[in-house]
Coordinates of all heavy atoms in Angstrom, one line a residue:
M1 N -98.1 -98.1 -143.3 CA -97.8 -96.9 -143.9 C -98.2 -95.7 -143.0 O -99.2 -95.7 -142.3 CB -98.7 -96.7 -145.2 CG -98.0 -96.9 -146.5 SD -99.0 -96.5 -147.8 CE -98.7 -97.9 -148.8
G2 N -97.3 -94.7 -143.1 CA -97.6 -93.5 -142.2 C -98.6 -92.6 -142.9 O -98.9 -92.7 -144.1
G3 N -99.2 -91.7 -142.1 CA -100.3 -90.8 -142.6 C -99.9 -89.9 -143.7 O -100.6 -89.7 -144.7
D4 N -98.6 -89.4 -143.7 CA -98.1 -88.5 -144.7 C -98.0 -89.3 -146.1 O -98.3 -88.8 -147.1 CB -96.8 -87.9 -144.4 CG -96.9 -86.9 -143.3 OD1 -98.0 -86.4 -143.0 OD2 -95.8 -86.6 -142.7
R5 N -97.5 -90.5 -146.0 CA -97.4 -91.4 -147.2 C -98.8 -91.7 -147.8 O -99.0 -91.7 -149.0 CB -96.6 -92.7 -146.8 CG -96.4 -93.6 -148.0 CD -95.5 -93.0 -149.0 NE -95.3 -94.0 -150.1 CZ -95.3 -93.7 -151.4 NH1 -95.5 -92.5 -151.8 NH2 -95.2 -94.7 -152.3
D6 N -99.7 -92.0 -146.9 CA -101.1 -92.3 -147.3 C -101.6 -91.1 -148.1 O -102.2 -91.3 -149.2 CB -102.0 -92.6 -146.2 CG -101.7 -93.9 -145.5 OD1 -101.0 -94.7 -146.1 OD2 -102.3 -94.1 -144.4
E7 N -101.5 -89.9 -147.6 CA -102.0 -88.7 -148.2 C -101.3 -88.5 -149.6 O -101.9 -88.2 -150.6 CB -101.8 -87.5 -147.4 CG -102.4 -86.3 -147.9 CD -102.3 -85.1 -147.0 OE1 -102.5 -85.3 -145.7 OE2 -102.2 -84.0 -147.4
E8 N -100.0 -88.8 -149.6 CA -99.2 -88.6 -150.9 C -99.8 -89.6 -152.0 O -99.9 -89.2 -153.1 CB -97.8 -88.9 -150.6 CG -96.9 -88.8 -151.9 CD -95.5 -89.2 -151.6 OE1 -95.0 -88.9 -150.5 OE2 -94.8 -89.7 -152.5
L9 N -100.1 -90.8 -151.6 CA -100.6 -91.8 -152.5 C -102.0 -91.4 -153.1 O -102.3 -91.7 -154.2 CB -100.7 -93.1 -151.9 CG -99.3 -93.8 -151.6 CD1 -99.6 -95.1 -150.8 CD2 -98.6 -94.2 -152.9
L10 N -102.8 -90.7 -152.3 CA -104.1 -90.4 -152.7 C -104.1 -89.2 -153.7 O -105.1 -89.1 -154.5 CB -105.0 -90.0 -151.5 CG -105.2 -91.1 -150.5 CD1 -106.0 -90.6 -149.3 CD2 -106.0 -92.3 -151.2
R11 N -103.2 -88.3 -153.7 CA -103.2 -87.2 -154.6 C -103.2 -87.5 -156.0 O -102.4 -88.4 -156.5 CB -102.0 -86.2 -154.3 CG -102.0 -85.7 -152.9 CD -103.1 -84.7 -152.7 NE -103.2 -84.4 -151.2 CZ -104.3 -83.9 -150.7 NH1 -105.3 -83.7 -151.4 NH2 -104.3 -83.7 -149.4
G12 N -104.1 -86.9 -156.8 CA -104.1 -87.1 -158.2 C -104.7 -88.5 -158.6 O -104.6 -88.9 -159.8
R13 N -105.3 -89.2 -157.7 CA -105.8 -90.5 -158.0 C -107.4 -90.4 -158.1 O -108.0 -89.5 -157.6 CB -105.5 -91.5 -156.9 CG -104.0 -91.7 -156.7 CD -103.8 -92.7 -155.6 NE -104.2 -94.0 -156.0 CZ -103.5 -94.9 -156.7 NH1 -102.3 -94.5 -157.1 NH2 -103.9 -96.0 -157.1
V14 N -107.9 -91.4 -158.8 CA -109.3 -91.5 -159.0 C -109.8 -92.5 -157.9 O -109.3 -93.6 -157.8 CB -109.7 -91.9 -160.4 CG1 -111.2 -92.2 -160.5 CG2 -109.3 -90.9 -161.4
Y15 N -110.9 -92.1 -157.2 CA -111.5 -93.0 -156.2 C -111.9 -94.3 -156.9 O -112.5 -94.3 -158.0 CB -112.7 -92.4 -155.6 CG -113.4 -93.3 -154.6 CD1 -113.0 -93.5 -153.3 CD2 -114.5 -94.0 -155.1 CE1 -113.6 -94.4 -152.5 CE2 -115.2 -94.9 -154.2 CZ -114.7 -95.1 -152.9 OH -115.4 -95.9 -152.1
G16 N -111.5 -95.4 -156.3 CA -111.8 -96.8 -156.8 C -110.7 -97.4 -157.7 O -110.8 -98.6 -157.9
Q17 N -109.8 -96.6 -158.1 CA -108.7 -97.2 -158.9 C -107.8 -98.0 -158.0 O -107.6 -97.6 -156.8 CB -107.8 -96.1 -159.6 CG -108.6 -95.3 -160.6 CD -108.8 -96.1 -161.9 OE1 -108.6 -97.3 -162.0 NE2 -109.1 -95.4 -162.9
E18 N -107.2 -99.0 -158.5 CA -106.3 -99.9 -157.7 C -105.0 -99.1 -157.4 O -104.5 -98.3 -158.2 CB -105.9 -101.1 -158.5 CG -107.1 -102.1 -158.7 CD -107.7 -102.6 -157.4 OE1 -106.9 -102.9 -156.5 OE2 -108.9 -102.7 -157.4
H19 N -104.4 -99.3 -156.2 CA -103.2 -98.6 -155.8 C -102.0 -98.9 -156.7 O -101.2 -98.1 -156.9 CB -102.9 -98.9 -154.4 CG -103.8 -98.3 -153.4 ND1 -103.8 -97.0 -153.1 CD2 -104.8 -98.9 -152.7 CE1 -104.8 -96.8 -152.2 NE2 -105.4 -97.9 -152.0
D20 N -102.0 -100.1 -157.3 CA -100.9 -100.5 -158.2 C -101.2 -100.2 -159.7 O -100.4 -100.6 -160.5 CB -100.5 -101.9 -157.9 CG -101.6 -102.9 -158.2 OD1 -102.8 -102.5 -158.5 OD2 -101.4 -104.1 -158.1
D21 N -102.3 -99.5 -160.0 CA -102.6 -99.2 -161.3 C -101.5 -98.3 -161.9 O -101.2 -97.3 -161.3 CB -104.0 -98.5 -161.4 CG -104.5 -98.2 -162.8 OD1 -103.7 -98.0 -163.7 OD2 -105.7 -98.2 -163.0
P22 N -100.9 -98.6 -163.0 CA -99.8 -97.8 -163.5 C -100.3 -96.4 -164.0 O -99.5 -95.5 -164.1 CB -99.3 -98.6 -164.7 CG -100.4 -99.5 -165.1 CD -101.2 -99.8 -163.8
N23 N -101.6 -96.2 -164.2 CA -102.2 -94.9 -164.6 C -103.4 -94.6 -163.8 O -104.5 -94.8 -164.2 CB -102.5 -94.9 -166.1 CG -103.0 -93.6 -166.6 OD1 -102.8 -92.6 -165.9 ND2 -103.6 -93.5 -167.7
P24 N -103.2 -94.3 -162.5 CA -104.4 -94.1 -161.6 C -105.1 -92.8 -161.7 O -106.0 -92.5 -161.0 CB -103.7 -94.2 -160.2 CG -102.4 -93.6 -160.4 CD -102.0 -94.1 -161.8
G25 N -104.6 -91.9 -162.6 CA -105.2 -90.6 -162.7 C -106.4 -90.6 -163.6 O -106.9 -91.6 -164.1
P26 N -106.9 -89.4 -163.8 CA -108.2 -89.2 -164.6 C -107.9 -89.6 -166.1 O -106.8 -89.6 -166.6 CB -108.4 -87.7 -164.6 CG -107.2 -87.1 -164.0 CD -106.4 -88.1 -163.3
R27 N -109.0 -90.1 -166.7 CA -109.0 -90.6 -168.1 C -109.6 -89.5 -169.0 O -110.6 -88.9 -168.6 CB -109.7 -91.9 -168.2 CG -109.2 -93.0 -167.2 CD -108.4 -94.0 -167.9 NE -108.3 -95.2 -167.1 CZ -107.3 -95.4 -166.2 NH1 -106.4 -94.5 -166.0 NH2 -107.1 -96.6 -165.6
P28 N -109.2 -89.4 -170.2 CA -109.8 -88.5 -171.2 C -111.2 -88.9 -171.4 O -111.6 -90.1 -171.4 CB -109.0 -88.6 -172.4 CG -107.7 -89.3 -172.0 CD -108.0 -90.1 -170.8
G29 N -112.1 -87.9 -171.6 CA -113.5 -88.1 -171.9 C -114.4 -88.5 -170.7 O -115.5 -88.8 -170.9
R30 N -113.8 -88.4 -169.5 CA -114.6 -88.7 -168.3 C -114.8 -87.4 -167.6 O -114.1 -86.4 -167.7 CB -113.8 -89.7 -167.4 CG -113.4 -91.0 -168.1 CD -114.4 -91.9 -168.6 NE -115.2 -92.4 -167.5 CZ -116.3 -93.1 -167.6 NH1 -116.7 -93.5 -168.8 NH2 -117.0 -93.6 -166.6
T31 N -115.8 -87.3 -166.7 CA -116.1 -86.2 -165.9 C -115.9 -86.5 -164.4 O -116.3 -87.6 -164.0 CB -117.6 -85.7 -166.1 OG1 -117.8 -85.5 -167.5 CG2 -117.9 -84.5 -165.3
Y32 N -115.2 -85.7 -163.7 CA -114.8 -85.9 -162.3 C -115.2 -84.8 -161.4 O -115.3 -83.6 -161.8 CB -113.3 -86.1 -162.2 CG -112.8 -87.3 -163.0 CD1 -112.3 -87.1 -164.3 CD2 -112.8 -88.6 -162.5 CE1 -111.9 -88.2 -165.1 CE2 -112.3 -89.6 -163.2 CZ -111.8 -89.4 -164.5 OH -111.4 -90.5 -165.3
A33 N -115.5 -85.2 -160.2 CA -115.7 -84.2 -159.1 C -114.6 -84.4 -158.1 O -114.2 -85.6 -157.8 CB -117.1 -84.5 -158.4
E34 N -114.0 -83.3 -157.6 CA -112.9 -83.4 -156.7 C -113.5 -83.5 -155.3 O -114.4 -82.8 -154.9 CB -112.1 -82.1 -156.7 CG -111.0 -82.1 -155.7 CD -110.2 -80.8 -155.7 OE1 -110.5 -79.9 -156.5 OE2 -109.3 -80.7 -154.9
L35 N -113.0 -84.5 -154.5 CA -113.5 -84.7 -153.1 C -112.7 -83.8 -152.3 O -111.4 -83.7 -152.3 CB -113.3 -86.2 -152.7 CG -114.0 -87.2 -153.6 CD1 -113.7 -88.6 -153.1 CD2 -115.5 -86.9 -153.5
V36 N -113.4 -83.0 -151.5 CA -112.7 -81.9 -150.7 C -113.0 -82.2 -149.2 O -114.1 -82.3 -148.7 CB -113.3 -80.5 -151.0 CG1 -112.6 -79.4 -150.2 CG2 -113.1 -80.3 -152.5
G37 N -111.9 -82.3 -148.4 CA -112.0 -82.5 -147.0 C -112.1 -84.0 -146.7 O -112.3 -84.8 -147.5
G38 N -112.1 -84.3 -145.4 CA -112.3 -85.7 -144.9 C -111.2 -86.6 -145.4 O -110.2 -86.2 -145.9
P39 N -111.5 -87.9 -145.2 CA -110.4 -88.9 -145.5 C -110.1 -89.1 -146.9 O -109.0 -89.7 -147.2 CB -111.0 -90.2 -144.9 CG -112.5 -90.0 -144.9 CD -112.7 -88.5 -144.7
L40 N -110.9 -88.7 -147.8 CA -110.6 -88.9 -149.3 C -110.2 -87.6 -150.0 O -110.3 -87.5 -151.2 CB -111.8 -89.5 -149.9 CG -112.2 -90.9 -149.3 CD1 -113.5 -91.4 -150.0 CD2 -111.1 -91.9 -149.4
D41 N -109.9 -86.6 -149.2 CA -109.5 -85.3 -149.7 C -108.5 -85.4 -150.9 O -107.5 -86.0 -150.8 CB -108.9 -84.4 -148.6 CG -108.6 -83.0 -149.0 OD1 -109.5 -82.3 -149.6 OD2 -107.5 -82.5 -148.8
G42 N -108.8 -84.7 -152.0 CA -107.9 -84.7 -153.1 C -108.2 -85.7 -154.2 O -107.7 -85.6 -155.3
L43 N -108.9 -86.8 -153.8 CA -109.2 -87.8 -154.8 C -110.3 -87.3 -155.8 O -111.0 -86.3 -155.5 CB -109.8 -89.0 -154.1 CG -108.8 -90.0 -153.4 CD1 -109.6 -91.1 -152.8 CD2 -107.8 -90.5 -154.4
L44 N -110.3 -87.8 -156.9 CA -111.3 -87.5 -157.9 C -112.4 -88.6 -158.0 O -112.0 -89.8 -157.9 CB -110.7 -87.3 -159.3 CG -109.6 -86.3 -159.4 CD1 -108.9 -86.3 -160.7 CD2 -110.1 -84.9 -159.1
L45 N -113.6 -88.2 -158.1 CA -114.7 -89.2 -158.2 C -115.3 -89.1 -159.6 O -115.7 -88.1 -160.1 CB -115.8 -88.8 -157.2 CG -117.0 -89.7 -157.2 CD1 -116.6 -91.2 -156.8 CD2 -118.1 -89.2 -156.2
D46 N -115.3 -90.3 -160.3 CA -115.8 -90.3 -161.7 C -117.3 -90.2 -161.6 O -118.0 -91.1 -161.1 CB -115.4 -91.6 -162.3 CG -115.7 -91.7 -163.8 OD1 -116.6 -90.9 -164.3 OD2 -115.1 -92.5 -164.5
V47 N -117.9 -89.1 -162.2 CA -119.3 -88.9 -162.2 C -119.9 -88.9 -163.6 O -120.9 -88.3 -163.9 CB -119.7 -87.6 -161.4 CG1 -119.4 -87.8 -159.9 CG2 -119.0 -86.4 -162.0
T48 N -119.1 -89.4 -164.5 CA -119.5 -89.4 -166.0 C -120.9 -89.8 -166.3 O -121.6 -89.1 -167.0 CB -118.5 -90.2 -166.8 OG1 -117.1 -89.8 -166.5 CG2 -118.8 -90.2 -168.2
D49 N -121.3 -90.9 -165.7 CA -122.6 -91.4 -166.0 C -123.7 -91.1 -165.0 O -124.8 -91.6 -165.1 CB -122.5 -93.0 -166.2 CG -121.6 -93.3 -167.3 OD1 -121.6 -92.7 -168.4 OD2 -120.9 -94.3 -167.2
W50 N -123.4 -90.2 -164.1 CA -124.4 -89.8 -163.1 C -125.4 -88.8 -163.6 O -125.1 -87.9 -164.4 CB -123.7 -89.1 -161.9 CG -122.8 -90.0 -161.1 CD1 -122.1 -91.1 -161.5 CD2 -122.5 -89.8 -159.7 NE1 -121.4 -91.6 -160.5 CE2 -121.6 -90.9 -159.4 CE3 -122.9 -88.9 -158.8 CZ2 -121.1 -91.0 -158.1 CZ3 -122.4 -89.0 -157.5 CH2 -121.5 -90.1 -157.1
T51 N -126.6 -88.9 -163.2 CA -127.7 -88.0 -163.6 C -127.5 -86.7 -162.7 O -126.8 -86.8 -161.6 CB -129.1 -88.6 -163.3 OG1 -129.3 -88.8 -161.9 CG2 -129.3 -89.9 -164.1
G52 N -128.2 -85.7 -163.0 CA -128.2 -84.5 -162.2 C -128.7 -84.8 -160.8 O -128.2 -84.3 -159.8
E53 N -129.7 -85.6 -160.7 CA -130.3 -86.0 -159.4 C -129.3 -86.8 -158.6 O -129.1 -86.5 -157.4 CB -131.5 -86.9 -159.6 CG -132.3 -87.2 -158.3 CD -133.6 -88.0 -158.6 OE1 -134.3 -87.6 -159.5 OE2 -133.8 -88.9 -157.9
E54 N -128.5 -87.7 -159.2 CA -127.5 -88.4 -158.5 C -126.4 -87.5 -158.0 O -125.9 -87.6 -156.8 CB -126.9 -89.5 -159.4 CG -127.9 -90.7 -159.6 CD -127.4 -91.6 -160.6 OE1 -126.8 -91.2 -161.7 OE2 -127.7 -92.8 -160.5
I55 N -126.0 -86.5 -158.8 CA -125.0 -85.6 -158.4 C -125.5 -84.8 -157.2 O -124.8 -84.6 -156.2 CB -124.5 -84.7 -159.6 CG1 -123.7 -85.6 -160.5 CG2 -123.7 -83.5 -159.1 CD1 -123.4 -84.9 -161.8
R56 N -126.7 -84.3 -157.3 CA -127.3 -83.5 -156.2 C -127.4 -84.3 -154.9 O -127.2 -83.8 -153.8 CB -128.6 -82.9 -156.5 CG -128.6 -81.8 -157.5 CD -129.9 -81.1 -157.7 NE -130.9 -82.0 -158.4 CZ -131.0 -82.3 -159.7 NH1 -130.1 -81.7 -160.5 NH2 -131.9 -83.1 -160.2
A57 N -127.6 -85.6 -155.0 CA -127.7 -86.5 -153.8 C -126.3 -86.7 -153.1 O -126.2 -87.0 -152.0 CB -128.3 -87.8 -154.2
G58 N -125.2 -86.6 -153.9 CA -123.9 -86.8 -153.3 C -123.5 -88.3 -153.3 O -124.1 -89.1 -154.0
A59 N -122.5 -88.6 -152.5 CA -122.0 -90.0 -152.5 C -121.6 -90.4 -151.1 O -121.1 -89.6 -150.3 CB -120.8 -90.0 -153.4
V60 N -121.8 -91.7 -150.8 CA -121.4 -92.3 -149.6 C -120.3 -93.4 -150.1 O -120.7 -94.3 -150.8 CB -122.5 -93.0 -148.8 CG1 -122.0 -93.7 -147.6 CG2 -123.6 -92.0 -148.5
L61 N -119.1 -93.1 -149.7 CA -118.0 -93.9 -150.3 C -117.2 -94.7 -149.3 O -116.9 -94.2 -148.2 CB -117.0 -92.9 -151.0 CG -117.6 -92.0 -152.0 CD1 -116.6 -90.9 -152.4 CD2 -118.1 -92.7 -153.2
E62 N -117.0 -95.9 -149.6 CA -116.3 -96.8 -148.7 C -114.8 -96.3 -148.5 O -114.2 -96.0 -149.5 CB -116.3 -98.2 -149.2 CG -117.7 -98.9 -149.1 CD -117.7 -100.3 -149.6 OE1 -116.6 -100.9 -149.7 OE2 -118.8 -100.8 -149.8
T63 N -114.3 -96.4 -147.3 CA -112.9 -96.0 -147.0 C -112.5 -96.6 -145.7 O -113.2 -96.7 -144.8 CB -112.7 -94.5 -147.0 OG1 -111.3 -94.2 -146.8 CG2 -113.5 -93.8 -145.9
E64 N -111.2 -97.0 -145.7 CA -110.6 -97.5 -144.4 C -109.9 -96.3 -143.7 O -109.4 -96.5 -142.6 CB -109.6 -98.6 -144.7 CG -110.2 -99.8 -145.4 CD -109.2 -100.9 -145.7 OE1 -108.0 -100.7 -145.4 OE2 -109.6 -101.9 -146.2
L65 N -109.9 -95.2 -144.3 CA -109.2 -94.0 -143.7 C -110.0 -93.1 -142.8 O -109.5 -92.2 -142.2 CB -108.6 -93.2 -144.9 CG -107.7 -93.9 -145.9 CD1 -107.3 -92.9 -147.0 CD2 -106.5 -94.4 -145.1
G66 N -111.3 -93.4 -142.7 CA -112.2 -92.5 -142.0 C -112.2 -92.9 -140.5 O -111.5 -93.8 -140.0
R67 N -113.1 -92.3 -139.8 CA -113.3 -92.4 -138.4 C -113.6 -93.9 -137.9 O -113.2 -94.3 -136.9 CB -114.5 -91.6 -137.9 CG -114.9 -91.7 -136.5 CD -116.0 -90.8 -136.2 NE -116.3 -90.9 -134.8 CZ -117.3 -90.2 -134.2 NH1 -118.1 -89.4 -134.9 NH2 -117.6 -90.4 -132.9
Y68 N -114.3 -94.7 -138.8 CA -114.6 -96.0 -138.4 C -113.7 -97.1 -139.0 O -114.0 -98.3 -138.8 CB -116.1 -96.3 -138.8 CG -117.0 -95.3 -138.1 CD1 -117.6 -94.2 -138.8 CD2 -117.4 -95.5 -136.8 CE1 -118.4 -93.3 -138.2 CE2 -118.2 -94.6 -136.2 CZ -118.7 -93.5 -136.9 OH -119.5 -92.6 -136.2
G69 N -112.6 -96.7 -139.6 CA -111.7 -97.7 -140.2 C -112.3 -98.6 -141.2 O -113.2 -98.2 -141.9
A70 N -111.9 -99.8 -141.3 CA -112.4 -100.8 -142.3 C -113.9 -100.9 -142.2 O -114.4 -101.0 -141.1 CB -111.7 -102.2 -142.1
G71 N -114.6 -100.8 -143.3 CA -116.0 -100.9 -143.3 C -116.7 -99.6 -143.1 O -117.9 -99.5 -143.2
G72 N -115.9 -98.5 -142.9 CA -116.5 -97.2 -142.7 C -116.8 -96.5 -144.1 O -116.3 -97.0 -145.1
K73 N -117.5 -95.5 -144.0 CA -117.9 -94.7 -145.2 C -117.7 -93.2 -145.0 O -117.8 -92.8 -143.9 CB -119.3 -95.0 -145.6 CG -119.5 -96.5 -146.0 CD -121.0 -96.8 -146.2 CE -121.3 -98.2 -146.6 NZ -120.8 -99.2 -145.7
A74 N -117.3 -92.5 -146.0 CA -117.2 -91.1 -146.0 C -118.4 -90.5 -146.8 O -118.6 -91.0 -147.9 CB -115.9 -90.6 -146.6
V75 N -119.0 -89.5 -146.3 CA -120.2 -88.9 -146.9 C -119.8 -87.5 -147.6 O -119.2 -86.7 -146.9 CB -121.3 -88.6 -145.9 CG1 -122.5 -88.0 -146.6 CG2 -121.7 -89.9 -145.2
Y76 N -120.0 -87.4 -148.9 CA -119.7 -86.2 -149.7 C -120.9 -85.7 -150.4 O -121.7 -86.5 -150.9 CB -118.6 -86.5 -150.7 CG -117.2 -86.7 -150.0 CD1 -116.8 -87.9 -149.5 CD2 -116.3 -85.6 -149.9 CE1 -115.6 -88.1 -148.9 CE2 -115.1 -85.8 -149.3 CZ -114.7 -87.0 -148.8 OH -113.5 -87.2 -148.2
G77 N -121.0 -84.4 -150.5 CA -122.1 -83.8 -151.3 C -121.6 -82.7 -152.2 O -120.6 -82.1 -151.8
P78 N -122.3 -82.4 -153.2 CA -121.8 -81.3 -154.2 C -121.8 -80.0 -153.4 O -122.7 -79.7 -152.7 CB -122.8 -81.4 -155.3 CG -124.0 -81.9 -154.7 CD -123.6 -82.9 -153.6
R79 N -120.8 -79.2 -153.7 CA -120.7 -77.9 -153.2 C -121.7 -77.0 -153.9 O -121.8 -77.0 -155.1 CB -119.3 -77.3 -153.4 CG -119.1 -75.9 -152.9 CD -117.6 -75.5 -153.1 NE -116.8 -76.3 -152.2 CZ -115.4 -76.2 -152.2 NH1 -114.9 -75.3 -153.0 NH2 -114.7 -76.9 -151.4
P80 N -122.5 -76.2 -153.1 CA -123.5 -75.3 -153.7 C -122.8 -74.4 -154.7 O -121.8 -73.7 -154.4 CB -124.1 -74.5 -152.5 CG -123.8 -75.4 -151.4 CD -122.5 -76.2 -151.7
G81 N -123.3 -74.3 -155.9 CA -122.8 -73.5 -157.0 C -121.5 -74.0 -157.7 O -121.0 -73.4 -158.6
D82 N -121.0 -75.2 -157.2 CA -119.8 -75.8 -157.8 C -119.9 -77.3 -157.7 O -119.2 -77.9 -156.9 CB -118.6 -75.3 -157.1 CG -117.3 -75.7 -157.8 OD1 -117.3 -76.4 -158.8 OD2 -116.2 -75.4 -157.3
P83 N -120.7 -77.9 -158.6 CA -120.9 -79.4 -158.5 C -119.6 -80.2 -158.9 O -119.6 -81.4 -158.8 CB -122.1 -79.7 -159.4 CG -122.1 -78.5 -160.3 CD -121.6 -77.3 -159.6
A84 N -118.6 -79.5 -159.3 CA -117.3 -80.2 -159.7 C -116.5 -80.4 -158.4 O -115.5 -81.1 -158.5 CB -116.5 -79.3 -160.6
R85 N -117.0 -80.0 -157.3 CA -116.4 -80.3 -156.0 C -117.4 -80.8 -155.0 O -118.5 -80.3 -154.9 CB -115.8 -79.0 -155.4 CG -114.6 -78.5 -156.1 CD -113.9 -77.4 -155.4 NE -112.6 -77.1 -155.9 CZ -112.4 -76.4 -157.0 NH1 -113.4 -76.0 -157.8 NH2 -111.1 -76.2 -157.4
F86 N -117.1 -82.0 -154.4 CA -117.9 -82.6 -153.4 C -117.3 -82.4 -152.1 O -116.2 -82.8 -151.8 CB -118.1 -84.1 -153.7 CG -119.1 -84.5 -154.7 CD1 -119.5 -83.7 -155.7 CD2 -119.7 -85.7 -154.6 CE1 -120.4 -84.0 -156.7 CE2 -120.7 -86.1 -155.5 CZ -121.0 -85.3 -156.6
D87 N -118.0 -81.7 -151.1 CA -117.5 -81.5 -149.8 C -117.8 -82.6 -148.9 O -118.9 -83.1 -148.9 CB -118.0 -80.1 -149.3 CG -117.5 -78.9 -150.0 OD1 -116.3 -78.9 -150.3 OD2 -118.3 -78.1 -150.4
W88 N -116.9 -82.9 -148.0 CA -117.1 -83.9 -147.0 C -118.0 -83.4 -145.9 O -117.9 -82.3 -145.4 CB -115.7 -84.3 -146.4 CG -115.7 -85.3 -145.2 CD1 -116.0 -86.6 -145.3 CD2 -115.4 -85.0 -143.9 NE1 -115.9 -87.2 -144.1 CE2 -115.5 -86.2 -143.2 CE3 -115.0 -83.9 -143.2 CZ2 -115.2 -86.3 -141.8 CZ3 -114.7 -84.0 -141.9 CH2 -114.8 -85.2 -141.2
S89 N -119.0 -84.3 -145.4 CA -119.9 -83.8 -144.4 C -119.8 -84.8 -143.2 O -120.4 -84.5 -142.2 CB -121.3 -83.8 -144.9 OG -121.8 -85.0 -145.3
G90 N -119.0 -85.8 -143.2 CA -118.8 -86.7 -142.1 C -118.6 -88.1 -142.5 O -118.6 -88.5 -143.7
D91 N -118.4 -89.0 -141.5 CA -118.2 -90.4 -141.7 C -119.4 -91.2 -141.2 O -120.1 -90.7 -140.3 CB -116.9 -90.9 -141.0 CG -115.6 -90.3 -141.6 OD1 -115.6 -90.0 -142.8 OD2 -114.6 -90.1 -140.8
S92 N -119.6 -92.4 -141.7 CA -120.7 -93.2 -141.2 C -120.2 -94.7 -141.2 O -119.2 -95.0 -141.8 CB -121.9 -93.0 -142.0 OG -121.8 -93.6 -143.3
R93 N -121.0 -95.5 -140.6 CA -120.7 -97.0 -140.6 C -121.4 -97.6 -141.7 O -122.4 -97.3 -142.2 CB -121.1 -97.6 -139.3 CG -120.3 -97.1 -138.2 CD -120.7 -97.7 -136.9 NE -120.0 -97.0 -135.8 CZ -119.4 -97.6 -134.8 NH1 -119.5 -98.9 -134.7 NH2 -118.8 -96.9 -133.9

C-alpha cells in the first residue's frame, strides 16, 4: 500500500479497530481523544475507562507506521488545556 492510501484508511478510525471492521468509527457513549501528529495522526483513541491520571500520563501505542516499523511504538500525550487531543512526541522501540 502506498503512503497516501495508508493515510486515507486511518482517517475517522479508532485505534485498535480491525481494518476490515464494517464500522471502524467511534461508537456512541464512548469518549475519544484525537491523536495529532506522528504516524497515527487523525486516529481516535478510546479513553472511556481511563482515569484522570492515565490520561495525564498519555499513551505508548504499537504501530508499524512509525520510525521503527513492525514492533515500534508511537508516544502520545494530552495537549495542555485540551485533553481531548493527544500530541505525538516521538517513536520508540
Side-chain angles (χ1 to χ4, degrees):
M1 251 188 228
D4 291 341
R5 179 69 176 136
D6 290 346
E7 185 173 325
E8 178 185 327
L9 288 173
L10 294 176
R11 299 288 170 206
R13 299 184 68 86
V14 174
Y15 174 81
Q17 294 284 17
E18 296 296 325
H19 290 284
D20 59 355
D21 186 330
N23 185 16
R27 308 253 195 268
R30 309 294 295 175
T31 302
Y32 298 93
E34 178 184 1
L35 301 176
V36 180
L40 302 175
D41 184 51
L43 284 177
L44 301 174
L45 179 64
D46 188 341
V47 295
T48 303
D49 298 322
W50 291 31
T51 66
E53 185 176 317
E54 289 171 323
I55 289 173
R56 286 187 296 280
V60 179
L61 305 170
E62 293 182 11
T63 181
E64 296 180 2
L65 302 176
R67 177 178 181 183
Y68 299 105
K73 296 173 177 60
V75 181
Y76 287 86
R79 182 176 291 179
D82 187 2
R85 288 189 169 74
F86 276 30
D87 292 314
W88 176 68
S89 60
D91 293 330
S92 70
R93 291 181 189 221

